[in-house]
Amino acid sequence: MKRIFAVLAMLVCVIGGITGILLLGNDEGDDVSTKKVQDAAGGDHGITEISSKESVNTEKKPVDTTETTEDAVSELVDKTMAEMSLHDKVCQMMFVTPEGLTGTDDVMVAGDATKQALQAYPVGGIIYFANNFDNVDQTRDMISNTQSYSKIGLFIATDEEGGRVNRIMDTLGTTYIGPMYDYKDDGPDAAFENAKTIASDMSALGFNLDFAPVADVWSNPDNTVIGDRAYSDDYAQAAELVGSAVKGFQDGGVICTLKHFPGHGDTAEDSHYSSAYVNRTKAQIMADEMQPFRTGIDAGAELVMVGHLIVPDIDELPSTLSYKIATEMLRGDMKFDGVAITDSMEMESIADNYGVADSAVMAVQAGMDMLLQPADLAVAVNAIVTAVQNGDITEPRIDESVRRILTLKAERGLLE
């Protein structure tokens, strides 16, 4: 109707020789309502809606910025990948300690050694432990400097679950949160607030990723490796609490990780030191162990950590090396489309039984996107590059994982 009135008015002007012309469009003097949309690189684009001063009623159609933002992320990822060599792409799939990156012990400072190492091996993420921290200022400087040396923004992570698995609470004096199991009867609000507190403290130091929450259920009372790290010994209760915790971590400003898929709570063994078995059928696991993983994924968890767990009913290989579990189960059955990361590849159940090179190649063939703490970074990277060159792994398979990694980084403002 507005356009029709404008045309009629202009015809009247021409016929009658009237000099007044109605101008339609944006005018700097109009009232403007502006909505800001954060783009993938961290900048702002103004989307302007004009509030008309004319008396004609105009119905405004809401502006859907989702597609625009997704397109910007995709374009940024495409541009970044086009500038990466195969070596760079494989390095992006590595998540290492600062010691594993630089080859030095007890790193507390990021200087020339870190800079040179990142130039040679542009890894995707750095995981820190308590031995890397002395005080708050030192920690912030180390993380900030490390980020500044990396062409592609790094995932900066630690294991900050609360309770006995914490790296900064006891070392740097951040807010102490007790064992997750202790809060199980306090309900989802407590799980949310605890996670948000942990995440907020981490974010203030420069961390952007936490290897938490534990989505395992303490279903085997003899299990000590998980125990009170779990949110509950009841599947349904754990599911409710883990879903709330995911939202808490996100609100606190860090990416979170569900672990240890497909569930470490029923094992008798500790996968740090030996092969750990889940002696349940896939049907039982899907009905029980998957409850917390399902609510966590539905809540938007960005990463899932796959454990070195052997499920004989599904495969004789550890889950991290099993296509049936890492791809068919996690991607297919659970519909997870985020980043899948291994548990530490230094654990004896992997390093001793399969070796650094073979386990790295097998993990990628199984469908893993990132390898956590390969025992030898150079050996792992070279093994995967060689496997691609030999045709044992396709480059599109590498690109699939790198695209997931970079997409998450772009969404979090870690790509420039």
Side-chain angles (χ1 to χ4, degrees), residues 146-160:
T146 301
Q147 280 285 27
S148 73
Y149 300 143
S150 183
K151 183 177 179 181
I152 296 174
L154 294 159
F155 291 136
I156 301 292
T158 193
D159 294 292
E160 196 72 358

Side-chain angles (χ1 to χ4, degrees), residues 183-199:
Y183 302 95
K184 67 184 180 70
D185 295 326
D186 294 339
D189 287 347
F192 174 89
E193 292 298 336
N194 284 352
K196 184 176 180 180
T197 298
I198 291 172

Side-chain angles (χ1 to χ4, degrees), residues 41-53:
D44 286 331
H45 296 305
I47 296 180
T48 305
E49 298 177 359
I50 301 300
S51 177
S52 177
K53 291 183 177 179

Side-chain angles (χ1 to χ4, degrees), residues 299-319:
E302 299 93 341
L303 271 76
V304 168
M305 179 182 288
V306 179
H308 305 309
L309 308 166
I310 298 175
V311 187
D313 187 60
I314 301 175
D315 200 341
E316 290 299 327
L317 289 171
S319 299

Side-chain angles (χ1 to χ4, degrees), residues 23-32 48-53:
L23 297 177
L24 297 178
N26 293 0
D27 184 89
E28 292 181 358
D30 287 343
D31 294 330
V32 176
T48 305
E49 298 177 359
I50 301 300
S51 177
S52 177
K53 291 183 177 179

Side-chain angles (χ1 to χ4, degrees), residues 168-179:
I168 64 175
M169 292 177 190
D170 290 340
T171 308
L172 301 179
T174 55
T175 308
Y176 183 77
I177 302 293

